[in-house]
Amino acid sequence: MAATTTSFSLSPLTLRRSSTTTTTSTLSLLNSKPRLPPPSALPPLISAAAADPSIADSTTMAVIGGGSVAALAAILSLADPEKRRQQQAEEIGGGDKEVVREYFNGTGFQRWKKIYGETDDVNKVQLDIRLGHSKTVENALKMLNDEGPLNGVTVCDAGCGTGSLSIPLAKEGAVVYASDISAAMVAEAETKAREELRNGSAELSSQPVMPKFEVKDLESLDGKYDTVVCLDVLIHYPQNKADAMIAHLASLAENRLILSFAPKTFYYDLLKRIGELFPGPSKATRAYLHAEADVERALQKVGWKIRKRGLITTQFYFAKLVEAVPA
């Protein structure tokens, strides 16, 4: 191809061209960089974004060819995504948390309900993100089952979305406490849980316990659980707040904490900044990347260590999955 435009979703972040799922302690893939598209990709990128707002929306990262470095530098110097986001926050009278809450109760809910659901009304990128997210859920479930049956195990699903993890956990006998900052997401999760657990209980070996769903942000979570799981939520927290949030989640867990996050490298950070030039017509939420070393350091500060590490990738999805236990 002489000119290529590629879009990458940031919730969670993806920046790979392979379709690989791993749960190994050594991830050599992290040290390999995907190849950039060829030069002269900037004009097609702009035209594609204008033609298809669903590609360049609030959860999109666009990748421009490596040969356009000079042009990119000039454009980036003129862009001010922080100012745009500050104006957005001022419009709704709050900061990051309020922006995220409003987004996932509105246009974001409609978009991600489709992505997390089973409808055919999705584009290629959204379908691929659905696959990536399902792989993350699958790998998290595998980590949880490695210690034995989940019957009676208490699990806090922090940031449950539409119940993609909570419902399978309940089917396996876990006692699930699920929460999300979005009331719309929680309502959808409850509806799906009733349909799948109560109406489909005849297919299960025993009657599952319905998850307890609540509308709460991560900071408001309390209680004690055998395991706390937080998938694809840290992307909404800058590192300084993520450190405190990781410590808080660890304080709720007795035995295990499972996290997924968008990994931060110089390369991916640059691509994220490029993507911010194309916010699309909808309100943009911030997307924060996190270095694995920073996440591990935050865990070590509160006496936890990473026991298992995983890397989940599809064409448009890229996430790191870790399981931590008390040191």
Side-chain angles (χ1 to χ4, degrees), residues 53-261:
S54 68
I55 293 177
D57 64 13
S58 62
T59 59
T60 298
M61 172 176 295
V63 178
I64 299 175
S68 302
V69 175
L72 286 177
I75 294 172
L76 289 174
S77 67
L78 297 175
D80 193 352
E82 290 304 312
K83 182 178 180 181
R84 183 175 68 244
R85 300 234 171 80
Q86 183 180 357
Q87 290 173 341
Q88 177 187 345
E90 290 173 353
E91 287 176 8
I92 65 170
D96 278 357
K97 185 192 299 185
E98 289 72 24
V99 170
V100 170
R101 180 184 289 114
E102 175 149 311
Y103 174 72
F104 283 105
N105 276 323
T107 57
F109 167 68
Q110 295 300 329
R111 181 171 293 113
W112 289 95
K113 176 185 175 182
K114 291 196 304 181
I115 293 174
Y116 292 150
E118 298 179 355
T119 177
D120 294 329
D121 184 25
V122 289
N123 59 36
K124 178 182 178 182
V125 174
Q126 292 169 331
L127 184 62
D128 189 82
I129 295 167
R130 177 189 294 173
L131 174 61
H133 179 73
S134 68
K135 286 187 175 184
T136 298
V137 171
E138 179 184 339
N139 277 267
L141 285 168
K142 183 180 183 302
M143 284 181 171
L144 287 163
N145 278 290
D146 281 348
E147 298 300 306
L150 296 176
N151 189 49
V153 175
T154 57
V155 181
C156 174
D157 184 5
C160 65
T162 59
S164 55
L165 176 65
S166 296
I167 295 171
L169 282 173
K171 287 180 178 179
E172 297 202 24
V175 179
V176 183
Y177 299 83
S179 64
D180 199 279
I181 194 172
S182 164
M185 287 284 191
V186 169
E188 177 67 13
E190 286 183 304
T191 299
K192 290 176 65 177
R194 283 194 295 270
E195 292 174 352
E196 295 190 35
L197 298 178
R198 290 179 178 169
N199 298 340
S201 60
E203 303 175 5
L204 303 174
S205 58
S206 60
Q207 179 68 40
V209 177
M210 279 289 294
K212 179 181 179 181
F213 291 101
E214 291 185 290
V215 180
K216 280 187 175 183
D217 55 46
L218 297 189
E219 293 90 338
S220 301
L221 293 177
D222 55 12
K224 284 288 184 181
Y225 313 90
D226 178 87
T227 300
V228 175
V229 184
C230 186
L231 302 182
D232 301 342
V233 178
L234 290 179
I235 197 167
H236 300 300
Y237 289 82
Q239 190 60 54
N240 63 328
K241 292 184 178 180
D243 287 353
M245 190 47 52
I246 290 170
H248 177 58
L249 293 173
S251 74
L252 306 176
E254 298 280 5
N255 295 311
R256 288 184 293 182
L257 173 61
I258 295 177
L259 303 170
S260 74
F261 55 93

Side-chain angles (χ1 to χ4, degrees), residues 272-320:
K272 169 181 170 291
R273 180 69 190 277
I274 295 169
E276 290 177 329
L277 299 176
F278 304 92
S282 60
K283 299 290 187 180
T285 59
R286 300 186 190 216
Y288 298 99
L289 315 187
H290 300 288
E292 183 179 350
D294 290 335
V295 172
E296 187 163 17
R297 191 177 303 113
L299 288 163
Q300 290 173 344
K301 285 182 180 178
V302 292
W304 286 63
K305 64 180 180 181
I306 294 179
R307 180 169 65 176
K308 296 177 183 177
R309 307 167 194 264
L311 178 65
I312 299 92
T313 70
T314 63
Q315 186 177 6
F316 299 105
Y317 182 103
F318 190 97
K320 195 68 191 289

